[in-house]
Amino acid sequence: MNRKQVFIICGMCSVRCPIIAEVENGEICFLQGNPHVPAMKGGLCPRGAAGTALINDFERPHFPLIRDGERGQGKWRKVGWDEAFDYTAQQLKIISDRYGVRSLSFSDRGGPFQDLHKAFIKGLGSPNYTNHDASCARNVEHACLSVTGLGRKEVVYDLKNARQVVLQFRNIFEAVNVQEVNNLLDAMEKGCKLTVIDIRANISATKAHRFFMIRPGTDYAFNLAVIHELLANNLYDETYAGFWIKDLDSLESLVKPYTPEWAETETGISATALRQFVRDLSEAKPAVIWHPGWMMARYRHSFYVCRSIYIINALLGSFGAKGGLPFANKPAQVGRTGLRALADLYPPPAEKRADGAGWKYPHLSAGPGLAHLLYQAMDTDDPYPVKAYIAYRHDPLMGFPDPERLKQIFAKLDLLVSVTFSWSDTAWFSDVLLPLSPYLERESIIACKNGLKPYFFVRKRVVDPRSDTKADWEIIGGLSKRMGLKALSFDDIRDIWNYQLAGT
């Protein structure tokens, strides 16, 4: 028997846990969490443990396809990779010649490996890279920026050292982040208190020391009352606030009417319980984490709910504190050199983004912008036509409201390409399907995880693809060769790794 272990990064969700794959005779026989990462404790969530199902899925795309009928009709023509690359590149060139390179767009799932995709669309000369975050955590990002000037990933949740944790719009114990679950459980064993604010009794609520079953849509009222209590009774961190918080008097004036009694009529949570909750938070400061949530896009005022959470964290002095929200370090902050960015191979595009992020909407981060505003541009040709769209592991027809309306918009595209390892609504509606190898059958570019101890990580191929599929770097490389992007025309992943690591 030839049994070996391969240390990799899970690809079953956006958490990307460090795991080990055990391989025997070319077959994966076991997956487990990486025991060398303390918070993993060798564990893996059920989704991660099912990773081999992606390889064994006989219904997944096994070879490149070009549409041979109406969009969404399900009629396809099987082609080889050369023909798929040639056809896609030819269509991109036709569209670029007719509408300009700004008419090209690319979206992905975001995450640590997006540098390669940004480099590709940037190399083509288009500013229109976006990702799925518009339907996930953009509210959290913009709320954090508006309060602190930092992005949401520039702080760390120091769960294992927290004394009080508040989950509102976050259900850690039913989620799939193994390290967060273990760190919070360890903290609770050491005396950390957990509060859950939710409209339903989820698993996290059953493990909480305090559960507020709030009326739907009233979270903002609850949070305003918490801020009122912190300020009215001097329960906030006055020293911290004196150094770091601006316009505290304006905030105090704003929340003055929002007493716990007022909040009780709105939320159904008793004023007495709210007051005791705030006192407990104050006693635990600054080792308090009020989690800003994931997918904070539920109600009209969700942005302000998220802002209020960051404000509460600031009032408790949690930013930069052990057991609170310490700041994430980048390699340079620990005396190291970071990875060379593939996107730096090309100059910034001259054109403005079609979604208006950063210029029409200067308060919105221009990084990935907002995908739904890109789709509006596809529909209206305002500020200019967007006629080609490559969706990499992104299924907007599933991830955004009103898929039938979105199909009408996508029908205006001259080219829709899906890069995916599984069938999706968007893949089914595409003109070209480029099959991606499942994560256990592909390697990735090197990525950096910023945190208290920043580190590089990489996904390596565990087994060879059993179908005619390719890794993303192979797909980008194949298209780049045909589009004249010599700097991205890689034939070996090691050449990419060497480029990224140069000087580190």
Side-chain angles (χ1 to χ4, degrees):
M1 292 191 300
N2 183 20
R3 195 180 186 99
K4 66 175 182 177
Q5 290 186 332
V6 183
F7 291 82
I8 60 166
I9 302 298
C10 184
M12 294 297 284
C13 79
S14 60
V15 175
R16 297 177 182 86
C17 291
I19 65 173
I20 297 176
E22 293 190 9
V23 183
E24 186 175 323
N25 298 325
E27 296 289 335
I28 299 170
C29 50
F30 191 63
L31 297 173
Q32 67 174 25
N34 188 336
H36 301 293
V37 179
M40 290 298 297
K41 299 185 178 181
L44 201 57
C45 77
R47 183 185 294 178
T52 54
L54 294 183
I55 296 176
N56 297 327
D57 179 11
F58 66 91
E59 292 185 333
R60 66 182 170 96
H62 293 281
F63 35 74
L65 295 167
I66 295 177
R67 179 170 59 85
D68 198 23
E70 297 298 319
R71 277 201 178 116
Q73 194 174 11
K75 293 184 178 181
W76 303 92
R77 178 166 58 91
K78 177 182 177 181
V79 298
W81 277 102
D82 284 338
E83 184 176 352
F85 286 148
D86 289 343
Y87 177 82
T88 302
Q90 180 185 40
Q91 295 304 308
L92 290 173
K93 290 176 181 177
I94 291 172
I95 294 167
S96 297
D97 290 344
R98 182 174 180 182
Y99 300 102
V101 292
R102 66 184 184 178
S103 64
L104 311 180
S105 60
F106 191 111
S107 72
D108 62 15
R109 295 285 300 170
F113 307 120
Q114 59 188 273
D115 182 33
L116 180 62
H117 311 146
K118 289 180 177 178
F120 176 70
I121 194 69
K122 191 177 178 183
L124 294 176
S126 173
N128 293 317
Y129 164 83
T130 189
N131 62 36
H132 89 296
D133 215 31
S135 58
C136 188
R138 267 303 94 176
N139 258 347
V140 183
E141 175 74 9
H142 290 140
C144 194
L145 282 169
S146 70
V147 173
T148 69
L150 302 172
R152 65 186 177 93
K153 294 184 179 180
E154 294 185 70
V155 295
V156 178
Y157 306 120
D158 188 15
L159 291 164
K160 64 182 179 182
N161 293 307
R163 296 178 59 201
Q164 286 274 356
V165 172
V166 183
L167 301 181
Q168 184 180 28
F169 301 106
R170 183 77 175 98
N171 182 11
I172 283 181
F173 291 127
E174 278 187 271
V176 290
N177 192 324
V178 175
Q179 295 187 67
E180 279 193 350
V181 170
N182 286 334
N183 282 336
L184 181 53
L185 286 173
D186 288 348
M188 291 170 68
E189 286 187 4
K190 294 186 293 184
C192 174
K193 303 301 181 183
L194 174 64
T195 298
V196 172
I197 306 166
D198 210 303
I199 63 173
R200 63 224 159 109
N202 54 36
I203 297 298
S204 296
T206 66
K207 297 183 180 298
H209 301 88
R210 179 186 279 116
F211 172 45
F212 293 126
M213 183 175 281
I214 198 168
R215 290 173 183 156
T218 65
D219 295 86
Y220 192 35
F222 183 91
N223 293 7
L224 288 174
V226 169
I227 297 173
H228 173 280
E229 280 300 288
L230 286 170
L231 294 175
N233 296 287
N234 294 321
L235 296 174
Y236 65 99
D237 190 326
E238 296 183 64
T239 303
Y240 183 94
F243 273 111
W244 302 112
I245 299 180
K246 183 181 178 182
D247 299 326
L248 196 59
D249 55 340
S250 297
L251 178 63
E252 191 167 7
S253 177
L254 172 71
V255 300
K256 190 173 183 180
Y258 303 124
T259 64
E261 285 72 24
W262 168 84
E264 182 173 353
T265 66
E266 297 287 324
T267 66
I269 307 301
S270 77
T272 300
L274 189 149
R275 284 195 170 93
Q276 183 59 54
F277 168 55
V278 175
R279 284 194 293 271
D280 291 345
L281 292 180
S282 180
E283 290 177 4
K285 66 179 184 296
V288 177
I289 299 172
W290 193 313
H291 200 292
W294 277 7
M295 210 186 94
M296 278 287 292
R298 291 175 172 83
Y299 306 113
R300 184 175 58 187
H301 53 31
S302 288
F303 169 74
Y304 294 100
V305 176
C306 201
R307 268 179 58 88
S308 68
I309 292 173
Y310 280 116
I311 289 171
I312 293 168
N313 280 306
L315 290 171
L316 294 169
S318 298
F319 284 100
K322 181 178 180 179
L325 302 175
F327 300 112
N329 289 312
K330 298 178 180 179
Q333 292 165 313
V334 293
R336 296 291 187 269
T337 301
L339 296 169
R340 292 175 71 194
L342 292 160
D344 289 345
L345 288 166
Y346 298 99
E351 297 285 353
K352 296 178 179 178
R353 296 181 58 92
D355 60 13
W359 64 277
K360 186 177 181 181
Y361 309 107
H363 59 293
L364 298 181
S365 169
L370 291 171
H372 63 288
L373 296 183
L374 174 66
Y375 304 148
Q376 287 183 19
M378 293 176 182
D379 185 33
T380 64
D381 290 347
D382 180 20
Y384 51 77
V386 177
K387 293 297 181 179
Y389 179 28
I390 300 174
Y392 171 86
R393 287 197 59 218
H394 188 197
D395 184 15
L397 289 178
M398 175 63 73
F400 285 86
D402 200 352
E404 293 306 314
R405 177 70 184 105
L406 201 50
K407 284 182 182 178
Q408 294 174 4
I409 294 173
F410 288 171
K412 297 182 179 183
L413 293 168
D414 291 351
L415 179 68
L416 176 57
V417 179
S418 283
V419 182
T420 179
F421 56 74
S422 61
W423 282 107
S424 67
D425 292 347
T426 303
W428 195 251
F429 199 70
S430 297
D431 303 306
V432 181
L433 191 151
L434 303 178
L436 183 70
S437 298
Y439 77 95
L440 291 165
E441 295 182 342
R442 72 177 188 266
E443 56 279 285
S444 72
I445 63 173
I446 301 172
C448 179
K449 175 68 172 178
N450 297 326
L452 296 178
K453 296 180 180 180
Y455 57 88
F456 299 156
F457 64 95
V458 66
R459 173 186 290 135
K460 294 186 177 181
R461 186 174 297 195
V462 178
V463 292
D464 291 331
R466 61 178 60 181
S467 300
D468 192 13
T469 59
K470 291 185 180 293
D472 60 340
W473 69 269
E474 294 174 303
I475 294 172
I476 294 295
L479 290 173
S480 295
K481 290 177 183 178
R482 291 156 175 84
M483 297 300 294
L485 303 181
K486 185 177 180 180
L488 291 177
S489 300
F490 294 103
D491 292 314
D492 192 318
I493 187 64
R494 290 170 294 188
D495 293 333
I496 301 180
W497 293 343
N498 289 336
Y499 169 85
Q500 292 181 283
L501 291 171
T504 62

